[in-house]
């Protein structure tokens, strides 16, 4: 189940398989709702126009008067994606999330990654966020635009990425290396950890480098992980687009 106008609209744009759509009749004047209705009729999708959407599962959600039943989100293997990235002529840009369990942080990271051209997000099989209606909603549909890979052995994945010439960089406050001093024009994978535990030491030991975002003296000691992710991704985009 997915809910929210933008989320459903992005699902449609990404040609996601949609089985049923439910919407509030009062919302029919919204331009995106009009496109959703037109799409459902064109593709013979079951459309249910009802007055009240206060179903128990979504009554406390910001559903904006619309939800739908879609095909499941397919989780991929990174080994199948890396060759495709290189064959397309792109410079790989990846995100590895170590024990990120907060839905809002995950959704924000996915949304920013989709906006900055990240090729894939790698999550762990244990201590990781669940891909469900809430994580889809918080990504504003970004999850439909970027492959999500769920991997059991992150150590193996780090070594695999490095074997393909991808530099693996940990974004952590536990380093003296300021992030702006490094080159991200080359194939790069960033690792980010949870705000509680940070990045596992066993992963840190395998990274090519560790970097941190500078903080003003006497400020807080760390950034929200989704904010840190956005900052490092836009520094990467700045280097690749402006300095290239």
């Amino acid at each position: 189940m997915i809910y929210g106008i933008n989320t459903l609209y992005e699902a449609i744009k990404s040609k996601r398989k949609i089985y049923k759509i439910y919407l509030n009749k009062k919302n029919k004047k919204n331009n995106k709702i009009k496109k959703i209705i037109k799409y459902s009729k064109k593709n013979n999708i079951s459309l249910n126009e009802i007055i009240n959407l206060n179903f128990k599962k979504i009554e406390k959600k910001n559903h904006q008067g619309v939800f739908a039943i879609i095909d499941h989100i397919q989780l991929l293997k990174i080994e199948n994606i890396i060759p495709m990235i290189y064959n397309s002529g792109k410079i790989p840009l990846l995100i590895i999330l170590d024990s990120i369990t907060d839905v809002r942080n995950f959704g924000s990271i996915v949304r920013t990654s989709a906006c900055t051209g990240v090729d894939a997000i790698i999550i762990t099989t244990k201590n990781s966020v669940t891909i469900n209606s809430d994580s889809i909603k918080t990504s504003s549909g970004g999850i439909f635009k970027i492959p999500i890979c769920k991997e059991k052995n992150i150590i193996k994945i780090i070594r695999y990425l490095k074997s393909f010439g991808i530099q693996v960089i940990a974004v952590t406050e536990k380093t003296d290396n300021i992030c702006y001093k490094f080159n991200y024009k080359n194939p790069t994978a960033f690792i980010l950890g949870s705000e509680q535990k940070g990045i596992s030491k066993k992963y840190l030991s395998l990274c090519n480098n560790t970097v941190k975002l500078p903080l003003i003296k006497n400020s807080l000691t760390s950034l929200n992980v989704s904010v840190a992710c956005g900052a490092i991704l836009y520094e990467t985009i700045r280097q690749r687009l402006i300095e290239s």
Side-chain angles (χ1 to χ4, degrees), residues 3-103:
Y3 57 90
I5 293 174
N6 286 332
T7 303
L8 178 53
Y9 189 64
E10 290 298 333
I12 287 172
K13 284 169 61 180
S14 66
K15 299 181 180 180
R16 180 72 48 177
K17 176 66 176 177
I18 300 172
Y19 298 105
K20 291 183 180 181
I21 297 175
Y22 298 84
L23 61 88
N24 192 322
K25 287 184 176 182
K26 296 178 182 179
N27 282 8
K28 291 179 69 174
K29 292 183 180 180
N30 181 287
N31 286 332
K32 287 185 178 179
I33 289 293
K34 288 179 181 178
K35 291 180 180 180
I36 289 170
I37 293 172
K38 183 178 179 180
Y39 178 86
S40 66
K41 290 179 178 179
K42 182 179 179 181
N43 293 276
N44 296 316
I45 298 171
S46 174
L47 180 66
N48 301 271
E49 297 181 36
I50 48 186
I51 296 175
N52 197 335
L53 280 183
N54 288 331
F55 293 96
K56 286 186 177 180
K57 285 187 177 181
I58 65 166
E59 62 183 353
K60 295 181 180 180
K61 312 289 187 181
N62 182 24
H63 55 71
Q64 300 172 303
V66 61
F67 76 93
I69 307 301
I70 68 168
D71 201 3
H72 69 282
I73 302 295
Q74 185 179 9
L75 299 176
L76 306 175
K77 303 299 289 183
I78 195 63
E79 290 95 335
N80 298 328
I81 294 175
I82 297 301
M84 293 173 58
I85 298 171
Y86 276 114
N87 289 337
S88 70
K90 282 197 67 180
I91 300 173
L93 179 58
L94 309 166
I95 294 291
I96 303 171
L97 300 180
D98 179 16
S99 302
I100 302 294
T101 57
D102 184 85
V103 169

Side-chain angles (χ1 to χ4, degrees), residues 123-150:
I123 61 176
T124 55
T125 54
K126 292 183 179 180
N127 299 319
S128 187
V129 69
T130 302
I131 308 299
N132 57 21
S133 58
D134 290 334
S135 54
I136 293 170
K137 170 65 174 176
T138 54
S139 76
S140 294
I143 203 166
F144 300 128
K145 295 181 176 293
I146 185 167
I148 306 294
C149 304
K150 200 166 190 176

Side-chain angles (χ1 to χ4, degrees), residues 85 91-95 116-120 188-190 233 236-237 240:
I85 298 171
I91 300 173
L93 179 58
L94 309 166
I95 294 291
T116 53
V118 170
D119 296 296
T188 301
F190 293 111
L233 284 177
T236 303
I237 296 305
R240 292 187 178 188

